[in-house]
Amino acid sequence: MKNNSILRNISKHINLDKAEEESFLSLLISKSLKKKKFLLQSGDVCTHSAFVTAGCLRAYTIDENGFEHILQFAPPDWWIADMYSLITQKPGNLFIEAMEESDVLLLSKDDQEKLYHDIPKFERFFRIITENSLVANRQRVIDSLSLNAKQRYEKFCSIYPAVFNAIPQKHIASYIGVTPEFLSKLKAGGGEQN
Amino acid sequence: MKNNSILRNISKHINLDKAEEESFLSLLISKSLKKKKFLLQSGDVCTHSAFVTAGCLRAYTIDENGFEHILQFAPPDWWIADMYSLITQKPGNLFIEAMEESDVLLLSKDDQEKLYHDIPKFERFFRIITENSLVANRQRVIDSLSLNAKQRYEKFCSIYPAVFNAIPQKHIASYIGVTPEFLSKLKAGGGEQN
DNA sequence: ACTTTTTCTTAATCTAGATTATTTGTCTGC
DNA sequence: GCAGACAAATAATCTAGATTAAGAAAAAGT
């Protein structure tokens, strides 16, 4: 059953005893999302962190010209939330949408805070996954500054082969910061040097 | 004295008693850096987090064509480290350099881990500042995807007015991802629309 | 099965920003 | 106070990637 996956995820960084596992699982709210349904929309206040157990979600903004820009993909075993809104409890700018039929486990901000207090190991767990997420985001900033479109595309494919095979390529274009037309050209053999 | 600033920084998120403060301060190593001196270089393993008490540092990479790309500025009251290298204890790709004569307080990774264990409040403290840093980095990714050069420049100036006034503008160019020449053109009134 | 919608490709044109080069202004150390 | 290095401005040219448009292919709904 799906609760195994979240316990396995957590056990990568902390060890829980049976009672703690039960106590943690009792806080989770299971939710299914049909394709194109939203977990969160721009203007909403984010009240829960989500752990993906099936399917795939994406977090994106829409700019002033109506273009989407994908900040994050969340395949199974990933956490996703609008961190800005979750922390500040102010309305955010992110849409979080199911790219296909998906299942998530939700943990409310309040319960998360209680967890930090009741089982301090969870503070460690979330510190560690936040650190890892920060490292990945910093690397993405560096890549956006120092790699060209082709290099960013190749890096994306090599780092996220599973995601790459499961989603429309226009979403990859949106993630790496090019138009779908240009990505198509790249794949056809554009940017031949290199 | 400079230790006040780090205690004030910490007290924004957790409360320490006198003994805890003393215990924490005893772990810190004070270090001064002359202009253009490195706290860390590409290829080094990052062993310490640094808290800036005076001056200003910057973290940057050098790409395959020899161009610098600034990931972070660290004026007084900011923490700086190569998070990737600090976490993995593998050689990193960042240079961390003093932009002017600067003073930092260093906390070793080992001591930081001990602190998590001995005074769990520190785990909370670093979780919170890591979360804040993640939010800022995610916003920077979004901005790089959805804003043009002029908008990124204006946003930088409004968010970091203190840094903006204290550093050569070629470093701002490097941070926002344009050439110094183009930034100069922008300031002179290029990109007139908008 | 077939109709609608979504995704991908190709190609021509256009532009934001890069590159290269030169000049001028500003520090900094001595 | 001056020499040499460093930073900024200006301008001409170039290019990676955007835009626009249209058709082909694939997916999905009924």
Side-chain angles (χ1 to χ4, degrees):
Chain A
M1 37 95 88
K2 63 181 61 164
N3 285 341
N4 282 337
S5 76
I6 198 169
L7 291 177
R8 232 180 303 117
N9 180 265
I10 287 170
S11 72
K12 283 176 190 162
H13 299 116
I14 57 172
N15 292 310
L16 298 178
D17 63 37
K18 274 275 168 264
E20 289 165 340
E21 284 185 355
E22 286 310 314
S23 160
F24 171 65
L25 291 178
S26 75
L27 302 176
L28 300 177
I29 303 150
S30 171
K31 179 165 185 168
S32 290
L33 288 162
K34 297 233 180 275
K35 186 170 178 169
K36 296 206 176 172
K37 291 297 173 199
F38 292 101
L39 193 58
L40 192 78
Q41 285 185 266
S42 178
D44 292 349
V45 171
C46 183
T47 56
H48 294 73
S49 302
F51 178 84
V52 181
T53 57
C56 190
L57 315 201
R58 67 187 176 113
Y60 63 94
T61 42
I62 296 183
D63 70 23
E64 59 187 4
N65 304 310
F67 291 102
E68 294 178 0
H69 303 282
I70 298 181
L71 180 59
Q72 185 192 351
F73 294 109
D77 227 45
W78 285 62
W79 290 86
I80 190 167
D82 181 341
M83 271 290 257
Y84 164 76
S85 177
L86 189 70
I87 290 175
T88 62
Q89 289 294 289
K90 291 193 263 191
N93 294 306
L94 287 186
F95 294 84
I96 300 181
E97 184 190 315
M99 299 173 70
E100 53 189 89
E101 183 117 33
S102 301
D103 299 325
V104 297
L105 296 170
L106 300 176
L107 175 62
S108 78
K109 182 183 163 80
D110 285 353
D111 286 338
Q112 194 167 337
E113 299 282 355
K114 271 186 217 124
L115 218 42
Y116 293 153
H117 184 264
D118 297 344
I119 312 176
K121 277 179 283 193
F122 273 97
E123 187 121 41
R124 164 161 307 212
F125 174 74
F126 284 104
R127 170 182 63 79
I128 291 170
I129 66 169
T130 303
E131 280 176 358
N132 290 340
S133 185
L134 176 58
V135 166
N137 268 269
R138 284 169 66 118
Q139 189 58 50
R140 189 167 169 202
V141 168
I142 290 171
D143 290 347
S144 81
L145 292 171
S146 53
L147 302 181
N148 66 25
K150 190 174 199 197
Q151 294 168 322
R152 295 198 304 279
Y153 175 64
E154 284 164 356
K155 187 158 183 179
F156 180 88
C157 295
S158 72
I159 296 185
Y160 305 109
V163 178
F164 154 73
N165 284 308
I167 67 174
Q169 92 182 19
K170 66 168 189 166
H171 285 154
I172 299 177
S174 168
Y175 183 94
I176 65 175
V178 296
T179 57
E181 293 83 355
F182 188 68
L183 180 52
S184 190
K185 195 160 137 189
L186 275 185
K187 288 180 67 180
E192 209 51 79
Q193 68 286 27
N194 245 339
Chain B
M1 36 95 89
K2 62 181 61 164
N3 286 339
N4 282 338
S5 76
I6 197 167
L7 291 177
R8 231 180 303 117
N9 180 264
I10 287 170
S11 72
K12 283 177 189 161
H13 299 117
I14 57 172
N15 292 310
L16 298 179
D17 62 36
K18 275 277 168 266
E20 289 164 340
E21 285 185 354
E22 286 311 314
S23 160
F24 171 65
L25 291 179
S26 75
L27 302 175
L28 300 176
I29 302 148
S30 172
K31 179 165 185 168
S32 290
L33 288 162
K34 296 236 179 273
K35 186 170 179 170
K36 298 206 174 172
K37 291 298 172 196
F38 293 100
L39 193 57
L40 191 79
Q41 285 186 266
S42 178
D44 292 350
V45 171
C46 184
T47 56
H48 294 73
S49 302
F51 178 85
V52 181
T53 56
C56 189
L57 315 201
R58 66 188 176 113
Y60 63 94
T61 43
I62 296 183
D63 70 23
E64 58 188 4
N65 304 310
F67 291 103
E68 292 179 2
H69 304 282
I70 298 180
L71 180 60
Q72 186 192 351
F73 293 109
D77 225 45
W78 284 61
W79 290 85
I80 190 166
D82 180 341
M83 271 290 256
Y84 164 77
S85 176
L86 189 69
I87 290 176
T88 61
Q89 288 295 289
K90 290 193 266 191
N93 293 307
L94 287 187
F95 295 84
I96 300 181
E97 184 189 315
M99 298 172 70
E100 53 190 90
E101 182 117 34
S102 301
D103 298 325
V104 298
L105 296 169
L106 300 175
L107 175 63
S108 79
K109 181 183 164 83
D110 286 351
D111 285 338
Q112 192 167 338
E113 298 283 356
K114 270 186 217 126
L115 216 43
Y116 294 153
H117 183 264
D118 297 344
I119 313 177
K121 278 180 282 192
F122 274 98
E123 187 121 40
R124 164 159 308 209
F125 174 74
F126 283 103
R127 171 183 62 79
I128 291 171
I129 66 168
T130 304
E131 281 176 357
N132 291 340
S133 183
L134 176 58
V135 166
N137 268 269
R138 282 169 65 117
Q139 189 58 49
R140 189 167 170 202
V141 170
I142 290 172
D143 290 348
S144 81
L145 292 171
S146 53
L147 303 181
N148 65 27
K150 190 175 197 197
Q151 293 169 323
R152 295 198 304 277
Y153 175 65
E154 284 163 356
K155 187 159 184 179
F156 179 89
C157 295
S158 72
I159 296 186
Y160 305 108
V163 178
F164 154 71
N165 285 308
I167 67 175
Q169 90 182 21
K170 66 168 189 166
H171 285 155
I172 300 178
S174 168
Y175 184 94
I176 65 175
V178 296
T179 57
E181 292 84 355
F182 188 68
L183 179 54
S184 189
K185 197 159 135 190
L186 274 185
K187 287 180 67 180
E192 210 50 82
Q193 68 285 26
N194 247 337

